[in-house]
């Protein structure tokens, strides 16, 4: 099937996390070996060797992976159960399905679509949803379906969110807010059932509320940045995946700060999306482990 | 006199700022020329060509500068008065006198003393004042006087501040808080009468209050930084001079974040001090112009 | 006329350079003032106050600039002649015409077209010329004409270069080689008569010849970069406009180094193009002054 | 014993490398477990899952490590022998002994001594050797022995190298050239018997020979950098450990480039030294794996 990446055929990614204790690494490695897997890469992190949290990402090659998956999963359940560990096993040849929500700004949206076309992102893009129509033609040029869901006036967004949820339902593995300028409700987050990644500008110090670039200009900041994070009910406060900054000076106008900010935003978001798509990011409490 | 730098003999630095209007640059340049000065470098910035604020820094060479200073100043008063501009004229061969206030941490303190000894900072260091004694021997090895002013218990710091003010009075041109961990009172700032530069850690987002590195660790930030700024009554909120960041990962412990932060702090503070000492920084409202 | 930018109407950019000597800044500023110009920004640099080279960039606002240009130019000739200085005066509301030469890689090409559409580059793009056809549809989606000039087999490129020169002649103000993989002849450079900007990968240390990313991988470099420069007869050796780097590790494959390199290349090239288009870059010998 | 770090007591670092093949990770993890070790951190890298090179670094905690070492080593020999793998096992509580060779410049030397005093480098410093005497007092202030070995005039350095070798012999685990300006002979490298780390300036492009900062200035580079590497017979060409750069502009004089370069040099060298001291760097051919 064309959506599968033949270069990654028979590659599995195993994520394990839970309370740290002696013997986990040995148990997991032995499991991979007895299931005829050959470890391609392995990352491991423990927040504290004594009573800490354990995180592991193992990529292994296993001939006829699809046929063996059920058997491996049974072995995982039996092996990791006694340790009280959680695990997920994914087939790396199956790209994740990524929906993009956008508004008028196109810099993050187009960068994602272009990187996807270049083969830099191991995803498929079943749809772009926007509350504006200005990017429709560009999106369709990339061969991606575009859906217009106008933003609902007033604080109640339930109807437009319901339309979006209906489009997404069953069709996507994660959602990217590519400068989507509508507030997402807690109810939406609960019902969407897949991870949602957001990008927003970041400053040192932070500037709350409207007109952040104007405030940054007034305060004379020397760096502006961007943060990509998983969306939680605390807007702009979820676990951080990636951040970066760029230098600015007093000569830069608020408009130029915003332009420079756009460059950082698209770079940071594309890295965060790639890492999520490759199962490199593990959420733990309000932070992430990025392998 | 040994405190003067012969390489900068007869070099003047003229700072001009005030309401922008046509003809300022021409008037200043003509003034320098008719006073037999040769412009070495010139930086100019206008916040807005229409009704904006104008800032200019001109370094010029003038044979026998000391003898001519009174005459040049009279010309400046006469020339710039009609424009409603403020100005300062400094002799670049006379280094500014910098006092350093420190506490237990030595990273910013020693970096400044070491850069000064290497000739990287155009300043003299008449004294280091600390509320601890651990750095006394190091400071004196650099040939710099060390004064111990213990911190006063309780919220009232007036007595220890009075001691510090007495040491500083008439002896310094600016003060650097090199990780000085005592709160400075508004009264102190008023009476010290010279600029005070501070350095503090910075994050995206900001973490308020105690234990910022622990909070940054919990939140999983990917960048930690430092901000150097002029001290105003709003602690940690004055005009920013310089900022920088360094990348960190989930592997770094809170202690390692602090260590990485220390490296950024000393780098950012030393740049801010050099720029201030070279009259490159102009304060305007709550931000700075750095030429 | 639609190609002119109304926001920059009546703004002139004056570049002056030549042997440094007292009084130049005053003379230029007086000239601007007596021609009813109001200085918007001014940058000045002297390689050495004694017998050095002087460089100045002045942007000024002059009502009815177009009508006054001839008069200002006459004044410039009369004023700067005695100093032995060269000068150019440009109308900032008239965008420079930029031709892009490309090959198969689209990352630099599309980033330039996309930034142009966003209004980030003060240029027009009269044509893209490529020795391949794969980007034709993308280019035309941006409303830009695409011309295919196949590369001529063998070392003699005179015929294909002649075709390109015929397309460019009289139609462009500068040429950008956006990963154009054909060697440009000295004859072409002479006849094209406009500046040509190139982008290439850069490493510490440099890797000469074919397969640079593979060599960089073998040598275990920790940074890869890109350099944008004006093209001279010494290929890849002309005056540098901009450079940047990105960190890599032993985990990155040669393919990933190339991908990371592509990101740096498009960022560096777009900055170099913007600065050239805004008349911020002055060539002097084999280096540049970037204001 | 005071040279041992109690916080790292009973922590072992195991480095394994050799031809990749299925089952290595499982075998190593099982070995650690059956020897009552608890894995604290584990990094693993394979240059290619099929016929590539395998590298692994495992830090584990083992009560009574010293008493158990011989037994663990016997198990390692028996377990890893069949795989054809090489391994080293080190006790992390025993700091490596680092000798520093220096010349007149003090920036790298003092930064290492100061970081060591702060506890940032897990090493002891049994000696500093210099061909100049200017840093003697500073070095001794840090409580470190200073030996002066004057450089031998002429191309034959065998006598001064013999003196240095006699001082080093049996006393050090690695040598750092902290801007040591004498050429090291191949004979010295053979006889010293421990790794030697060097730091040198780096540019894009590289500038060969004398006066690199002047050449960089003439060429107008926008970035200057530094590279830390293991010394091999090809001077300045050994496996790279770490690199970094800093931005510069046309305004910076050759002296300022050198000063900025010094800041990058000391930062890069201190990172390389820390990583080497923590057994994070594995040499392979002409490159390194840095875990």
């Amino acid at each position: 099937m064309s959506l599968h990446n033949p270069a990654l055929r028979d590659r599995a990614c195993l994520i394990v996390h839970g309370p740290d204790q002696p013997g986990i690494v040995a148990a997991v490695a032995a499991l991979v070996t007895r299931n005829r897997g050959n470890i391609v890469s392995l990352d491991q992190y423990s927040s504290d060797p004594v009573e800490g949290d354990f995180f592991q990402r193992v990529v292994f090659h296993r001939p006829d992976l699809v046929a063996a998956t059920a058997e491996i999963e049974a072995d995982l359940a039996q092996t990791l159960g006694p340790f009280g560990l959680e695990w997920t096993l994914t087939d790396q040849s199956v790209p994740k399905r990524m929906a993009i929500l956008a508004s008028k700004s196109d810099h993050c949206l187009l960068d994602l679509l272009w990187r996807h076309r270049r083969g830099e992102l191991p995803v498929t893009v079943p749809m772009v949803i926007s509350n504006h129509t200005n990017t429709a033609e560009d999106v369709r040029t990339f061969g991606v379906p575009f859906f217009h869901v106008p933003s609902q006036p007033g604080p109640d967004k339930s109807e437009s969110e319901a339309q979006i949820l209906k489009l997404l339902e069953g069709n996507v593995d994660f959602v990217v807010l590519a400068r989507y300028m509508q507030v997402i409700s807690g109810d939406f987050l609960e019902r969407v059932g897949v991870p949602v990644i957001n990008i927003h500008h970041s400053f040192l110090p932070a500037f709350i509320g409207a007109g952040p670039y104007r405030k940054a200009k007034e305060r004379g900041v020397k760096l502006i940045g961007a943060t990509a994070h998983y969306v939680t009910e605390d807007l702009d406060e979820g676990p951080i995946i990636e951040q970066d900054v760029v230098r600015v000076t007093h000569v830069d106008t608020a408009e130029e700060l915003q332009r420079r900010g756009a460059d950082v935003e698209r770079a940071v978001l594309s890295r965060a999306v790639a890492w999520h798509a490759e199962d490199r990011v593990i959420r733990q409490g309000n932070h992430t482990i990025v392998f």
Side-chain angles (χ1 to χ4, degrees), chain A residues 80-144:
Chain A
L80 301 183
F83 288 99
L85 296 164
E86 293 177 52
W87 54 270
T88 56
L89 183 74
T90 51
D91 181 340
Q92 288 213 310
S93 71
V94 183
K96 289 193 182 2
R97 300 164 301 166
M98 169 178 77
I100 305 175
L101 267 64
S103 292
K104 268 196 176 163
S105 292
D106 65 359
H107 58 285
C108 287
L109 170 63
L110 294 185
D111 207 60
L112 287 174
L113 293 174
W114 173 78
R115 285 182 191 275
H116 173 246
R117 186 176 73 181
R118 273 169 74 83
E120 294 190 9
L121 300 176
V123 299
T124 59
V125 190
M127 68 187 75
V128 168
I129 301 171
S130 176
N131 57 334
H132 291 272
T133 56
N134 60 305
T135 60
E137 195 184 328
D138 274 326
V139 168
R140 288 173 181 145
T141 300
F142 281 97
V144 170

Side-chain angles (χ1 to χ4, degrees), chain A residues 222-226 244-248 257 259-261 263-264:
Chain A
K222 309 301 181 192
L223 298 171
I224 57 170
D244 213 340
V245 293
V246 67
R247 292 192 81 81
V248 296
L257 295 190
R259 190 175 293 178
R260 305 296 299 276
D263 275 357
V264 190

Side-chain angles (χ1 to χ4, degrees), chain A residues 237-250:
Chain A
E237 288 290 331
I240 295 169
I241 305 170
E242 171 64 337
Q243 301 185 298
D244 213 340
V245 293
V246 67
R247 292 192 81 81
V248 296
T249 76
H250 63 269

Side-chain angles (χ1 to χ4, degrees), chain A residues 182-257:
Chain A
Q182 297 290 306
V183 175
I184 300 281
S185 73
D187 184 58
F188 179 95
L189 282 179
E190 229 169 79
R191 292 170 61 195
V192 72
V194 295
V196 179
I197 295 173
N198 189 29
I199 180 78
H200 66 79
H201 43 68
S202 295
F203 305 92
L204 311 88
F207 297 99
I208 311 297
Y213 285 100
R214 182 181 46 75
K215 287 175 187 163
K217 172 73 183 163
E218 283 167 14
R219 185 75 163 72
V221 298
K222 309 301 181 192
L223 298 171
I224 57 170
T227 296
H229 64 98
Y230 289 111
V231 179
T232 58
E233 285 214 40
D234 276 339
L235 192 70
D236 293 353
E237 288 290 331
I240 295 169
I241 305 170
E242 171 64 337
Q243 301 185 298
D244 213 340
V245 293
V246 67
R247 292 192 81 81
V248 296
T249 76
H250 63 269
V251 173
D252 296 303
T253 60
E255 290 71 36
E256 282 158 347
L257 295 190

